Amino acid sequence: MQKRNIGNIALIVAIVSVAIAALMVFGSSLGLWDPIVGFMASRNYNNLLGYVVVIVSVLALVISFSVKSSAKQDRNAKGKGILTSTIALLLGLAILSPSIMALVIKPVKYPPIHDITTNTQSPPQFEFLTDSRVGAKNSLVYGGEEVAAQQRQAFPNIQPIATDLSVEAAYQKALTVAKNMGWTIVAQDPKALRFESTATTPFFNFADDVVIVVSSLEQGSRIDLRSVSRIGIGDAGVNAKRIQEFSQRFSE
């Protein structure tokens, strides 16, 4: 095997590895496996793929630089080998970027809860969705004060949405915001001013269930949300961020 081809080999290894890494993240969205399968595969093998690509790329760079380039054709081949090896190295570092970022940026520590609501005293209840929903490991029964206390400490800004809109207008706006955020509406009850929906995470396609209830105030109305993950003890703050984004969009 000629040394001039080593850069191409490194690039092929890098491209295949990137494809595998991406497949682990987005395979569930393609219906290939359950979200937890892709998540665990990525957790166990993503860094391994990255290290393999980096090692192969560095070796390819060393070999490419060592190629003698007396003739113009040899110089072109050497330059191409260095270029392809460098691209492969960058792809390897891209695969490792989550781990690199974790070293550079101190990760936020979230409490081990997966049920977030704007009303911890009387959280909105699910009526259509049940504990038998597809792929669910977590119950929709609220965990009580233990969960509420952890939420209040970690996410003190999670509060009900107060608006001057009538309950009917607030309900329709909440429904519109939910649809614009890409949630799948699974049940609607306009008379009771409530609806239930399912939201999926952009990575790994984890499904979380959301219920929204609108109630009247002396002037205007109040919107309460509750977002619950189907699997996992903790949610890395995803449910809280979802409620915060909804609140921001609703207030715009």
Side-chain angles (χ1 to χ4, degrees):
M1 184 180 300
Q2 295 182 350
K3 290 182 178 180
R4 69 182 62 180
N5 294 326
I6 192 67
N8 292 333
I9 295 173
L11 185 58
I12 291 172
V13 171
I15 292 173
V16 171
S17 297
V18 168
I20 294 173
L23 191 61
M24 290 189 295
V25 174
F26 300 107
S28 178
S29 300
L30 300 174
L32 299 179
W33 44 65
D34 291 335
I36 192 63
V37 174
F39 176 77
M40 293 306 298
S42 181
R43 185 174 182 178
N44 292 330
Y45 302 115
N46 187 78
N47 283 356
L48 178 60
L49 285 171
Y51 292 139
V52 168
V53 173
V54 168
I55 291 171
V56 171
S57 302
V58 170
L59 289 175
L61 273 172
V62 172
I63 294 174
S64 296
F65 274 112
S66 69
V67 171
K68 295 181 180 180
S69 54
S70 56
K72 181 178 180 181
Q73 184 177 358
D74 290 335
R75 288 195 297 270
N76 291 338
K78 179 177 181 177
K80 182 179 179 181
I82 293 173
L83 176 62
T84 52
S85 299
T86 302
I87 294 174
L89 178 59
L90 293 175
L91 291 176
L93 293 175
I95 296 174
L96 292 172
S97 60
S99 296
I100 295 173
M101 292 299 293
L103 294 174
V104 176
I105 302 175
K106 185 178 180 180
V108 179
K109 292 185 178 180
Y110 294 101
I113 55 177
H114 55 264
D115 191 340
I116 305 296
T117 178
T118 58
N119 187 345
T120 57
Q121 299 301 314
S122 180
Q125 299 299 306
F126 290 89
E127 296 180 358
F128 178 81
L129 293 168
T130 67
D131 285 353
S132 62
R133 62 205 188 283
V134 177
K137 303 295 182 182
N138 294 330
S139 173
L140 289 173
V141 177
Y142 190 65
E145 181 56 28
E146 181 180 356
V147 172
Q150 293 183 77
Q151 176 189 313
R152 287 194 295 268
Q153 182 177 3
F155 312 109
N157 61 336
I158 297 292
Q159 300 292 333
I161 304 170
T163 175
D164 294 333
L165 297 174
S166 67
V167 289
E168 292 81 10
Y171 174 82
Q172 290 300 325
K173 185 174 182 180
L175 195 61
T176 299
V177 172
K179 291 178 179 178
N180 290 340
M181 289 180 65
W183 302 356
T184 300
I185 310 300
V186 297
Q188 300 182 50
D189 190 343
K191 292 183 178 180
L193 299 170
R194 68 187 320 280
F195 64 87
E196 298 176 27
S197 56
T198 298
T200 54
T201 59
F203 300 122
F204 303 108
N205 199 43
F206 283 110
D208 301 328
D209 299 303
V210 186
V211 56
I212 293 182
V213 178
V214 180
S215 56
S216 60
L217 297 174
E218 288 187 6
Q219 294 181 343
S221 53
R222 162 177 167 158
I223 298 92
D224 280 297
L225 298 84
R226 182 180 170 202
S227 184
V228 185
S229 298
R230 292 191 179 183
I231 62 174
I233 297 176
D235 63 4
V238 170
N239 288 300
K241 292 174 183 176
R242 177 178 295 115
I243 292 177
Q244 290 166 346
E245 181 182 356
F246 180 94
S247 299
Q248 182 179 355
R249 290 194 181 202
F250 188 93
S251 300
E252 291 177 350

